[in-house]
Amino acid sequence: MPSDSKRAPFSSPSFAAPTLLRECGGAREFSSYALYALVLVVPFALKHVFGFSALTYVILTALLALPVGALCLVAHSWIVRTPTDQIGALPNQPIESYMTILDKELKAMYHGCTKMPMEMFYERYFDGDIDLTGDALEIFEKRYDWAFFPITYNVAKFFVCQWIPELLVHSKKQDETQVRDHYDRGDDFYAAFLGDRMVYTSGLVGDSSRRETLEELQDNKLRDVCERVQMRKGDRHLDLGCGWGTLVSYAAKNYGSQSVGVTLGRNQTAFGNDRAKAWGVQDSAQLLCMDYRDTPRRPLYNRITCLEMAEHVGVRKFQEFLLQVRDMLEDDGLFYLQIAGLRGAWQYEDFSWGLFMAKYVFPGADASCPLNWVIAQLEATGFEVRSSETIGVHYSATLDRWYENWLQNKDSIVKKYGKRWFRVWEIFLAWSIIVARQGSSTCYQILAHKNRNAFDRSALISKPLGFGMPSGSVQA
């Protein structure tokens, strides 16, 4: 029978508990009807003033729909009211309680209880014009007391001039440049927060009654992935976007698979192959330095995994990528996709965080979409989705450990890479702990197979929850 006890919210030691729960304005406050009206009224007004024909009005409506919608969204982000269904009240502390503004002109603009646009804060913080008065995570937990999330000129400029062009291109050269600029920065840079496992994807909490280590979270995930795809000895396993290759060597060592990893990172390739040798699986675990599009397609693979790389494939190339995966997979094979995504019921903070990430942390990862979009792409390319789980809260716990490691290694990072790089990752990790916990961004675990009549779906049956437990009768 269900337990009568109720756990207090955010009481698990596995997660960083919030100190101020707030909702941001967004989709709920944005009126689609008002938007549609503006799209029709603006060109109609132009028609009336200049005497355009009906045909010209139709053409103007089509041409102006996107810019009118964009301007409407920008304006709304500045004037939207805070939702009234808030759980807690703001502390209403002056901005000086959270930061010291060193630039005189900036200080004259923002003082007392005046709130600062988030984009302005992090840019000026990275430039050294602002210092924090305490721990970044604690200050970000109270960010609604000192910041708001409008679409600023710089955000709009980045979106139009860089984000959209990158989305439309996603050439091999573009992806190679972005990946190598990012991941070949230095293994020590990433080890400073990823720790010994060198896994740059969400771990999984196994025991929420205690604070598991980062290594335990990642070991839980590695084991979970191999079990989900029913990894067996001799399976031909391909890991697309394998990073430093930990899953490749883990599967070969613990499950006896013949595993191949593909990454564009040269440092990652060298590290992963060295690790395979150190673990004694160099004959069954190998990393290849190449674009995913150049992956050897034959012989076919029994198991294909892709953990948080598909975001970088891009929206425009996503179906092409999935068709390639399907072509490389045995008819009775399994495909595991772990992919970060954004919620459909967006808030303006989600936009602010997402574009910050696109600019500084994960350039080119424009296929971070809501779950329904990802599922639709899989089904359209001939896959059947066996299971899907949302693990954003597990990501929050993982990020919390990364943030802890990053702070511990501050001196060595600042000495080699400078204060700016330390601050960029400090804000990325602190803000992302919260964003993942509150659902602004999340991560999905999806298990899929080819949607063929001959596929043995009974092989994937798992026991229902509560199976074998005492239960009441449903009979009269």
Side-chain angles (χ1 to χ4, degrees):
M1 297 294 289
S3 172
D4 292 332
S5 62
K6 185 177 181 181
R7 183 177 66 81
F10 304 108
S11 62
S12 169
S14 288
F15 309 96
T19 55
L20 178 64
L21 294 168
R22 300 290 290 181
E23 301 293 329
C24 184
R28 290 193 304 167
E29 292 74 31
F30 189 82
S31 173
S32 297
Y33 295 111
L35 174 61
Y36 299 150
L38 281 171
V39 168
L40 295 174
V41 168
V42 170
F44 183 81
L46 293 174
K47 174 182 180 298
H48 179 74
V49 171
F50 296 103
F52 293 142
S53 66
L55 178 60
T56 303
Y57 167 72
V58 172
I59 295 173
L60 275 176
T61 301
L63 291 176
L64 295 178
L66 189 59
V68 168
L71 289 172
C72 186
L73 190 66
V74 170
H76 188 257
S77 73
W78 283 89
I79 64 176
V80 63
R81 293 181 179 275
T82 303
T84 57
D85 56 340
Q86 304 289 355
I87 295 177
L90 291 172
N92 290 317
Q93 294 294 312
I95 198 170
E96 292 83 1
S97 300
Y98 303 104
M99 64 191 70
T100 300
I101 301 177
L102 306 175
D103 182 85
K104 292 182 179 179
E105 292 184 5
L106 189 65
K107 188 174 183 178
M109 294 172 60
Y110 299 100
H111 52 82
C113 291
T114 306
K115 294 183 180 181
M116 182 183 295
M118 178 59 81
E119 181 267 338
M120 179 175 287
F121 160 74
Y122 63 68
E123 293 290 357
R124 301 303 288 268
Y125 180 60
F126 298 159
D127 290 342
D129 295 330
I130 295 173
D131 286 339
L132 297 179
T133 59
D135 177 76
L137 177 58
E138 293 179 4
I139 289 171
F140 261 73
E141 290 284 9
K142 298 179 181 178
R143 64 204 177 283
Y144 283 93
D145 204 33
W146 54 266
F148 68 120
F149 305 91
I151 300 173
T152 64
Y153 170 78
N154 287 333
V155 169
K157 181 181 177 182
F158 169 78
F159 181 78
V160 173
C161 298
Q162 184 171 335
W163 193 88
I164 289 179
E166 289 178 352
L167 178 149
L168 295 175
V169 177
H170 269 292
S171 64
K172 288 185 179 182
K173 184 61 178 177
Q174 174 186 300
D175 292 350
E176 177 184 304
T177 300
Q178 289 178 333
V179 167
R180 288 183 176 165
D181 180 64
H182 187 72
Y183 292 107
D184 285 344
R185 184 173 302 137
D187 287 344
D188 58 338
F189 183 92
Y190 291 95
F193 64 98
L194 299 180
D196 176 71
R197 296 297 184 271
M198 291 295 281
V199 178
Y200 202 2
T201 57
S202 176
L204 294 176
V205 173
D207 182 358
S208 61
S209 67
R210 64 181 179 87
R211 184 178 175 81
E212 292 171 292
T213 66
L214 174 60
E215 288 68 33
E216 287 178 300
L217 296 185
Q218 294 296 5
D219 288 350
N220 291 342
K221 188 269 301 295
L222 294 169
R223 186 185 315 111
D224 182 84
V225 172
C226 290
E227 290 296 322
R228 281 179 187 270
V229 299
Q230 301 180 356
M231 196 80 75
R232 298 291 183 264
K233 185 176 181 179
D235 278 346
R236 282 182 47 79
H237 165 225
L238 171 65
D239 189 26
L240 292 166
C242 64
W244 287 269
T246 306
L247 175 60
V248 172
S249 291
Y250 180 92
K253 181 177 181 179
N254 294 280
Y255 289 83
S257 62
Q258 294 291 322
S259 294
V260 175
V262 171
T263 176
L264 272 170
R266 289 174 290 207
N267 289 358
Q268 292 179 330
T269 304
F271 182 98
N273 285 326
D274 287 344
R275 169 160 282 180
K277 292 178 183 177
W279 288 10
V281 291
Q282 65 271 24
D283 293 334
S284 54
Q286 179 187 17
L287 268 65
L288 303 176
C289 187
M290 61 176 58
D291 190 283
Y292 73 89
R293 284 161 281 205
D294 297 326
T295 303
R297 300 194 179 198
R298 296 294 184 273
L300 299 176
Y301 301 92
N302 309 104
R303 305 290 183 260
I304 298 179
T305 55
C306 181
L307 281 70
E308 298 175 40
M309 183 283 280
E311 301 92 319
H312 296 273
V313 168
V315 170
R316 192 174 73 85
K317 300 279 189 177
F318 205 78
Q319 282 206 4
E320 183 180 320
F321 163 71
L322 292 177
L323 287 170
Q324 177 185 341
V325 171
R326 193 178 191 279
D327 179 63
M328 296 188 296
L329 188 64
E330 292 277 10
D331 287 348
D332 61 350
L334 294 175
F335 173 41
Y336 173 89
L337 177 65
Q338 183 167 308
I339 185 169
L342 300 173
R343 59 183 167 189
W346 52 267
Q347 298 181 12
Y348 283 110
E349 183 181 8
D350 307 354
F351 288 168
S352 182
W353 176 85
L355 291 173
F356 158 75
M357 294 289 286
K359 183 176 182 179
Y360 285 108
V361 183
F362 293 126
D366 56 80
S368 298
C369 297
L371 178 60
N372 64 328
W373 183 87
V374 181
I375 298 295
Q377 302 305 304
L378 283 161
E379 292 181 339
T381 49
F383 284 99
E384 178 179 320
V385 174
R386 170 66 187 129
S387 63
S388 170
E389 297 210 22
T390 300
I391 58 169
V393 69
H394 295 267
Y395 222 144
S396 180
T398 307
L399 285 154
D400 186 32
R401 276 57 163 190
W402 290 349
Y403 178 70
E404 189 177 71
N405 286 348
W406 190 246
L407 295 186
Q408 290 174 355
N409 290 291
K410 177 179 179 179
D411 292 343
S412 61
I413 291 296
V414 171
K415 182 178 180 179
K416 182 172 181 180
Y417 294 97
K419 182 185 289 187
R420 182 179 177 85
W421 272 120
F422 174 81
R423 287 188 167 191
V424 170
W425 248 248
E426 176 191 25
I427 297 305
F428 149 50
L429 295 171
W431 196 3
S432 297
I433 289 170
I434 300 166
V435 161
R437 185 187 63 213
Q438 71 185 19
S440 298
S441 175
T442 189
C443 191
Y444 312 114
Q445 289 182 317
I446 301 171
L447 182 65
H449 57 79
K450 292 183 180 180
N451 194 349
R452 294 174 56 87
N453 293 351
F455 186 88
D456 183 9
R457 290 159 177 80
S458 66
L460 300 178
I461 290 177
S462 58
K463 292 181 179 179
L465 295 176
F467 181 80
M469 294 175 60
S471 60
S473 174
V474 296
Q475 297 180 354

